[in-house]
Amino acid sequence: MKTHTYDRMKAPVIRPEAYSPEGIEGLESFQGADAGFRDFLPEENRLGNLLGIGDDPVVEEILRGALLNPIREMTFNRGKRVRAHLVHLGYRIVDEGATPSVTAIRQCRSCAEVVELIHAGSLVVDDIEDGSHIRRGRPALHVRFGLPIALNAGNWLYFWPFQMLKELQLPSDQLLFLYEYYQQTLLRAHFGQALDLGARVDTLPQDRVRNACVASMKLKTG
């Protein structure tokens, strides 16, 4: 539960180095921190078709300055990528040592980035709610670009992974399962954040601290 306003979270975000799917030799090349993020952002030359507005250099320039560039700058801050490692580890456990296909490797990488993107969005919003000015030794996104742009970027990071999952080309039943689980995770996390914001451990009666903290942690641990 919150007891201060400085930067309290040291969890990982996304490293921006690109990778070449053609050069993949196996999942050994995917070790979380070495995965690329840049390839998972929307390509600017695709924005027109993606948004149904046609190609417009003016629109692309505005979106680049108000959304894509702030997100790229944020992700330059290297993290441990614990969540991406967990996705990779889970795949290896389920796969039981079989040699993965190139498609499977790409899907694993995409899913790892989905988790990292959701987490990155939560960090942006969390810094705003906490009044934190620093994120991993650099100005927080709302300090660097202002609160409106940062808040919009943080929310966008919740939505864009839905498109990433769609592009995995999974069977419809699997995609529906992922969408439902994704929605449930976001819903629980926001309830957990409400608990975190709504109570301070130094003001709660002692007999209520444990239940409030445990519930918040369970809901926020996606």
Side-chain angles (χ1 to χ4, degrees), residues 179-201:
Y179 279 176
E180 290 180 344
Y181 197 84
Y182 188 169
Q183 185 272 340
Q184 182 186 54
T185 299
L186 289 181
L187 184 65
R188 287 172 55 85
H190 279 74
F191 275 117
Q193 181 70 352
L195 285 174
D196 201 359
L197 294 169
R200 294 171 56 101
V201 294

Side-chain angles (χ1 to χ4, degrees), residues 74-137:
M74 175 191 178
T75 59
F76 264 72
N77 223 354
R78 180 178 178 177
K80 302 181 187 71
R81 293 177 54 82
V82 171
R83 290 154 185 81
H85 278 290
L86 289 174
V87 172
H88 169 58
L89 178 61
Y91 177 85
R92 291 178 66 94
I93 292 173
V94 172
D95 203 44
E96 297 181 343
T99 301
S101 66
V102 172
T103 298
I105 294 171
R106 288 172 175 169
Q107 290 176 341
C108 184
R109 283 184 161 175
S110 292
C111 289
E113 297 308 324
V114 162
V115 177
E116 289 287 354
L117 280 168
I118 298 170
H119 178 61
S122 74
L123 294 183
V124 175
V125 176
D126 197 64
D127 284 342
I128 293 171
E129 293 172 341
D130 285 359
S132 299
H133 297 288
I134 301 297
R135 172 59 60 183
R136 289 189 188 82

